[in-house]
Structure formats: C-alpha cells, structure tokens
Amino acid sequence: MKILLIGASGTIGKEVKTALEADHEIICAGRNGFDVKVDITSTESIQEMYERVGSIDAVVNASGGANFAPITELTPEINEKGIESKLKGQINLVLLGLNHITDHGSFTLTTGIMMDDPIRQGASAAMANGGVKAFVKSAAVEMPRGIRINSVSPNAVQESWERLESFFQGFEPVPAHRVALAYKKSVLGAQTGQNYEVY
C-alpha cells in the first residue's frame, strides 16, 4: 500500500511509520517537509500536498494541536488553535483527500483521552477531539467507494511523560509503539467509524 503519514516526525508518528514501513510505501508529511511539506491549518497547503503525492491507499494523521488553559482564561483566540488544527485541519484532510484515495482506502485521524477522561486545562483539546470523533462516526456511514474512516484515541505516552505528568495526575502512560498498533489496525483492518482507545 501507498500510505501518506502526516505528523511523521512526532512521537506517535515515528512509531506508526515503524509499524507500517516494512510492508508498505510510506510518504512522510509534516510542517518541516520530509517527503512532502504540509500545514494542516491551510486548505491550500493540504491541496498542494495531495496534488504532489497523487493517488494513495491510506491517509494517517498523527498531527494537530490545541492550547492548554484554565477555562477561566480560555479566550476565543486561545481556543482557536484547537479548532483550526486538531478539528478543522483533520476534517479538511478528509474532505480534500477523498478524490485522492483509492477504492477501499482509508483515513485514520487522531483524537485523545481528554475528551472522555477530562483533565484540568484540557477543555479546548477535549472539544476538538470530541468533534473529530463525532465526524468520524457520522462520515463513516456515507463514505464513497468503500473508503473507511477511523480515529485513534491515545492516552498520554511514556515518551512524553516527563513533560505531561503534571497535567495527567493519576494516569498511567502507554508506550507509543502500542498506540501505533491502533493506527495499524485502522489502516490494515476492516472496521470503519471506530475510535480506537489506547489506555
């Protein structure tokens, strides 16, 4: 398969690449270039990426950000990052990518634990994650040409635990390679409309 992996340089993206590259062609995309440069907050950038890569069998997105802030300090401007990147960015990858995916291909997006297991300062990220999950579930029922769509909801990962532990008190982090298996299941499996939780 020819798989477009966005966010390939991130902690999870690297493990997804490792999980898939032995048997498949991986095209790595990200803000810093790799094989293809893309900014998922820009529809023009997404379109340019798809035009460069041509026809592909799967899109995996392991990118997208949101700001952490107490709800009393969460302004519309601070909240905008989660909307533009994590929510709209991922949805636009699907909307603009449909014509580039082969029949029975797939999209795999990323949500996160905060939408189901809230933490302090996580409301903006939870909002974006929840929107992506709802989009995936709803879009799955009308995807054309047998195309599948799923999302992966990872816990905090061990590799980032030193930076994240203060936010995720009482959580048990998971290794990124185990999170990558959920992406592999989405790409190579048969299910659609799923949000794979890795806790």
Side-chain angles (χ1 to χ4, degrees), residues 5-25:
L5 172 59
I6 302 152
S9 69
T11 302
I12 291 174
K14 289 176 183 175
E15 293 293 338
V16 173
K17 182 175 185 289
T18 299
L20 294 169
E21 66 184 349
D23 300 310
H24 306 281
E25 177 188 354

Side-chain angles (χ1 to χ4, degrees), residues 57-138:
D57 300 302
V59 173
V60 175
N61 181 62
S63 71
N67 286 318
F68 280 51
I71 197 70
T72 54
E73 300 173 15
L74 184 62
T75 63
E77 293 75 22
I78 293 172
N79 193 45
E80 199 66 21
K81 180 178 179 181
I83 295 170
E84 289 297 321
S85 178
K86 187 86 177 198
L87 181 58
K88 283 174 60 179
Q90 294 200 89
I91 290 171
N92 287 338
L93 285 172
V94 177
L95 301 181
L96 298 173
L98 275 173
N99 292 335
H100 297 269
I101 293 278
T102 57
D103 293 356
H104 306 288
S106 70
F107 290 93
T108 305
L109 307 181
T110 298
T111 59
I113 193 172
M114 288 174 286
M115 65 181 172
D116 296 310
D117 200 348
I119 63 169
R120 288 188 179 93
Q121 301 189 40
S124 185
M127 167 211 66
N129 289 336
V132 172
K133 179 182 177 181
F135 173 80
V136 165
K137 184 176 182 179
S138 183

Side-chain angles (χ1 to χ4, degrees), residues 161-169:
W161 191 236
E162 187 175 335
R163 178 171 54 88
L164 296 176
E165 183 177 5
S166 62
F167 291 102
F168 290 90
Q169 294 293 324

Side-chain angles (χ1 to χ4, degrees), residues 3-9 17 26-30 33-37:
I3 301 168
L4 175 62
L5 172 59
I6 302 152
S9 69
K17 182 175 185 289
I26 310 298
I27 302 169
C28 296
F34 306 97
D35 301 320
V36 187
K37 189 171 184 177

